[in-house]
Amino acid sequence: MMTADKPLTANRNWMFWLALFILFCYGLYILRSVLLPFVAGIIIGYLLDPWVRKINKWGMNRTLATFLVLLALVLIIVPSVILLLGVINDQITRFISVVPEYLASLTQKLEPWINDLQKNIPALDADKVKSYLKSNMANNLKLFGKVLQGVITSGFALMNIISLLLITPVVAFYMLRDWDGFIKKIDSLLPRKSKKSIRIQAKEIDRTLAGFIRGQLSVCILLGTFYSAGLYFVGLELGVLIGFIAGVISFIPYVGSITGFLVSLGVAFAQFDSLGPIAQVVGVFVVGQFLEGNFLTPKLVGDSVGLHPVWIMFALLAGGVLLGFLGLMIAVPLAAIIGVLIRHAIENYKHSSLYLED
């Protein structure tokens, strides 16, 4: 009788957890418009917890340690963001004004190639190609620049900047102050029979998240600073903006460096008349990739994170499509959690009778 009840109990447990997971996903989708500041606060709390824990070990009260860490973050981040946004806004204004000039220069330099192409393809109308480059591309690039400038100056209202400024710091403070209490509370609710296994998986998830998020954030900041400074010293007029964007999106494997390289190369080709500065632009990204691949990523992210680049790109794309900016924020943590659970499921499968055929 006991043997017959075990499969039934196991099925009920799986049904319960599956229903709970579906309910969680449904609630996440329904409340996606108001969850952003709370998720941001939780992420900040998770990222800063090691610092608070370290100060707390020195004998300082955790509440005071939390306040000091958040205060230091505000004093560093706020002036940096204000300065950065000012520089980027100036770069975007410059970008909008020089687009026609760049396109005229680019069209002029491409004209010999277009003429050669017309000789090989007589049906090709060179004048129409030149007209397209001068008019359509100019309008599209100007529109892109104005949209980007609007995002920098006022478009953050789309992400509810007021709620981010008011709610996120409060959530981050309470998460940091009560982090150990939350962990103990969750631990006390774990199923007793599976507690040991869940703890092992939770530690692996924490190691993966800590290795990727904290490490990749450092890589993005360092790469963005390097690309911006390098392109600025090379003399690329929009170098700070391009370097910043390339650094920010470097958390998407290969996308940041490739995008920054192609855009920089196009601007350099339009701006400079000699190959020397263009080669220097190429050199900036070659050095940047060398530093990232050989020093930054191995030291700050590590090789044992276990998140494949394709899996990360899929998670970011799916999260962005389903939940917008909120989805982008939680995509990597969820990808890490799912990745760890899948690895444990495969390991359990290899030790099961289904795999061993016993």
Side-chain angles (χ1 to χ4, degrees):
M1 187 70 178
M2 290 292 293
T3 306
D5 287 341
K6 284 184 178 180
L8 183 61
T9 303
N11 289 334
R12 286 177 179 174
N13 289 340
W14 275 108
M15 290 175 62
F16 169 78
W17 291 114
L18 181 62
L20 192 62
F21 176 74
I22 294 173
L23 186 63
F24 170 77
C25 292
Y26 180 73
L28 192 67
Y29 181 78
I30 293 297
L31 299 174
R32 64 189 183 280
S33 60
V34 298
L35 284 177
L36 181 60
F38 297 95
V39 172
I42 293 172
I43 292 175
I44 291 173
Y46 175 76
L47 294 176
L48 297 180
D49 177 64
W51 293 96
V52 175
R53 192 185 297 255
K54 185 178 293 186
I55 297 175
N56 186 228
K57 287 182 178 179
W58 293 344
M60 183 178 293
N61 180 274
R62 186 168 179 100
T63 301
L64 182 57
T66 298
F67 176 78
L68 290 177
V69 169
L70 288 177
L71 180 62
L73 180 69
V74 170
L75 292 177
I76 294 172
I77 294 296
V78 172
S80 302
V81 169
I82 293 174
L83 178 63
L84 185 62
L85 291 180
V87 173
I88 292 174
N89 188 52
D90 291 341
Q91 290 266 294
I92 294 174
T93 303
R94 172 65 180 162
F95 169 77
I96 295 172
S97 64
V98 300
V99 162
E101 178 185 339
Y102 280 172
L103 285 178
S105 173
L106 192 62
T107 305
Q108 184 179 1
K109 292 176 180 178
L110 290 175
E111 189 171 354
W113 294 356
I114 296 174
N115 292 333
D116 291 340
L117 191 62
Q118 188 180 26
K119 291 179 183 178
N120 297 322
I121 308 176
L124 181 67
D125 191 339
D127 292 333
K128 287 185 178 180
V129 175
K130 296 173 187 176
S131 175
Y132 172 81
L133 290 174
K134 289 181 179 179
S135 60
N136 292 352
M137 287 183 66
N139 293 332
N140 291 335
L141 287 173
K142 278 188 174 182
L143 178 62
F144 170 76
K146 289 180 179 179
V147 170
L148 189 58
Q149 189 176 33
V151 169
I152 295 297
T153 56
S154 61
F156 280 139
L158 297 174
M159 299 187 300
N160 203 347
I161 188 64
I162 296 177
S163 66
L164 280 172
L165 290 175
L166 295 179
I167 299 176
T168 299
V170 177
V171 175
F173 176 81
Y174 282 109
M175 288 300 301
L176 273 173
R177 193 194 68 176
D178 302 327
W179 189 269
D180 291 339
F182 287 133
I183 298 300
K184 290 179 181 178
K185 188 67 175 178
I186 293 172
D187 184 74
S188 67
L189 296 174
L190 296 178
R192 287 176 293 178
K193 291 184 178 179
S194 307
K195 181 173 287 191
K196 184 178 180 180
S197 175
I198 294 175
R199 283 175 177 171
I200 294 173
Q201 295 180 46
K203 287 181 180 179
E204 187 174 345
I205 290 170
D206 178 63
R207 180 185 60 82
T208 302
L209 288 178
F212 187 85
I213 296 180
R214 294 181 183 131
Q216 195 62 52
L217 183 63
S218 302
V219 171
C220 289
I221 293 173
L222 293 173
L223 275 182
T225 303
F226 174 80
Y227 286 143
S228 297
L231 296 175
Y232 173 79
F233 286 117
V234 164
L236 198 69
E237 289 185 339
L238 306 175
V240 176
L241 175 63
I242 297 171
F244 169 76
I245 294 175
V248 167
I249 61 178
S250 290
F251 69 95
I252 307 175
Y254 310 114
V255 173
S257 56
I258 293 174
T259 302
F261 175 72
L262 293 177
V263 174
S264 297
L265 203 59
V267 173
F269 188 73
Q271 179 183 340
F272 302 117
D273 294 325
S274 61
L275 291 177
I278 297 176
Q280 291 176 357
V281 169
V282 175
V284 168
F285 281 92
V286 170
V287 173
Q289 282 303 291
F290 176 79
L291 293 175
E292 179 188 5
N294 293 278
F295 297 99
L296 297 180
T297 299
K299 296 293 183 182
L300 298 176
V301 179
D303 299 325
S304 60
V305 171
L307 290 177
H308 196 278
V310 175
W311 175 236
I312 296 171
M313 286 188 280
F314 172 78
L316 289 168
L317 180 62
V321 170
L322 293 174
L323 299 173
F325 188 75
L326 175 65
L328 293 176
M329 292 184 67
I330 65 175
V332 172
L334 285 179
I337 294 171
I338 294 172
V340 170
L341 294 179
I342 289 176
R343 286 197 294 270
H344 276 269
I346 293 174
E347 192 66 24
N348 291 333
Y349 163 71
K350 287 184 176 181
H351 290 87
S352 68
S353 58
L354 185 63
Y355 177 78
L356 299 173
E357 295 184 354
D358 289 340

